[in-house]
Amino acid sequence: MKVVLIGAGNVATHLGKAIVGAGHHVLQVYSRTSASANRLACQLCCEGVSSFDDLSNEADLYIVSVKDDALETVVREVCRGREKATFVHTAGSMPMSVFDGCCEHYGVIYPMQTFSKEKPLDFREIPMFVEACDEDTAQQLETFAKQLSERVFRLSTAARRHLHLSAVFACNFVNHCYTIAGELLKEQGIPFDVMLPLIDETTRKVHILSPQEAQTGPAVRWDENVIQKHLALLADHPLYADIYKMMSQSIHGQG
């Protein structure tokens, strides 16, 4: 399959490498800046472009991986004059309907993972969620996705939004908690890596227990003595204290 990537960020970088690894031909990478386009295009041995006027009309599939607030504008530009091709976006929280009226064959391929350009990933292990405008397109996208990942599911826009929300809690918010922990440790001259065995064990446990079953700490048993001492230590960090209180109340309420 001949593919054009619209976007050269974290998702497009990993997706592009997986597409090439699966034997498909990436014709072009588009980005607003030629430097970004050429950087990824060099890795994929294809052409980098920074103008919609230079986009190829020869691709079978156009994959749009851009910021949510730019998606609708970019879709209109990419689809114009290429309405017979198939178009997808990769956003977790944006509807498939952004393509309505712009093309005939369209859908969503959402790889649910946290992506950083410099961190290699095995794309075969990444769950991918597919949605399409009709059954023929759905089968085409599903077949394509299964060449990249061993875990492919069909999912509606409404369900995908809830999936994305859950991912924010499981990934982004958890990572922010690591950031808070790191700042508190740094104030005491303690390196963050002392937390890594604890983080790793917590992660391993939810492979065999439900997160609720794996939960430990003072909030579960509502140990007010410990909780109040912790809040006192956060006197100079009122926002962190509020987070601590809300998280503790939520954890205890789940018990």
Side-chain angles (χ1 to χ4, degrees), residues 24-185:
H24 297 286
H25 183 198
V26 176
L27 300 179
Q28 291 176 323
V29 173
Y30 164 87
S31 182
R32 289 183 300 108
T33 65
S34 57
S36 294
N38 290 331
R39 189 178 302 116
L40 179 54
C42 182
Q43 296 179 56
L44 303 180
C45 299
C46 67
E47 180 186 18
V49 298
S50 56
S51 170
F52 291 120
D53 293 335
D54 295 328
L55 281 181
S56 170
N57 295 328
E58 303 301 318
D60 305 301
L61 178 64
Y62 293 80
I63 301 177
V64 185
S65 296
V66 298
K67 293 181 179 179
D68 288 3
D69 59 4
L71 184 58
E72 293 189 49
T73 300
V74 169
V75 160
R76 288 194 294 270
E77 293 287 347
V78 174
C79 292
R80 187 177 295 120
R82 306 174 185 89
E83 291 84 358
K84 299 296 184 182
T86 301
F87 299 83
V88 298
H89 73 67
T90 61
S93 59
M94 293 296 287
M96 181 175 62
S97 61
V98 296
F99 292 107
D100 285 352
C102 295
C103 54
E104 295 181 15
H105 311 289
Y106 56 88
V108 178
I109 295 179
Y110 171 50
M112 193 186 68
Q113 183 54 277
T114 174
F115 294 102
S116 298
K117 291 179 184 178
E118 66 279 2
K119 176 66 170 61
L121 291 168
D122 183 355
F123 219 93
R124 302 292 302 173
E125 298 179 352
I126 297 174
M128 298 185 73
F129 298 87
V130 172
E131 183 182 18
C133 61
D134 57 55
E135 182 58 27
D136 287 344
T137 306
Q139 290 184 15
Q140 176 195 15
L141 297 180
E142 195 170 41
T143 298
F144 176 75
K146 285 180 177 178
Q147 294 170 354
L148 309 181
S149 170
E150 295 176 356
R151 306 192 66 197
V152 177
F153 309 88
R154 293 196 189 187
L155 202 66
S156 68
T157 288
R160 180 164 34 83
R161 283 174 169 164
H162 284 85
L163 177 70
H164 189 248
L165 170 62
S166 300
V168 168
F169 274 95
C171 174
N172 305 136
F173 288 175
V174 169
N175 193 68
H176 183 60
C177 288
Y178 297 158
T179 301
I180 293 173
E183 290 180 5
L184 297 174
L185 289 167

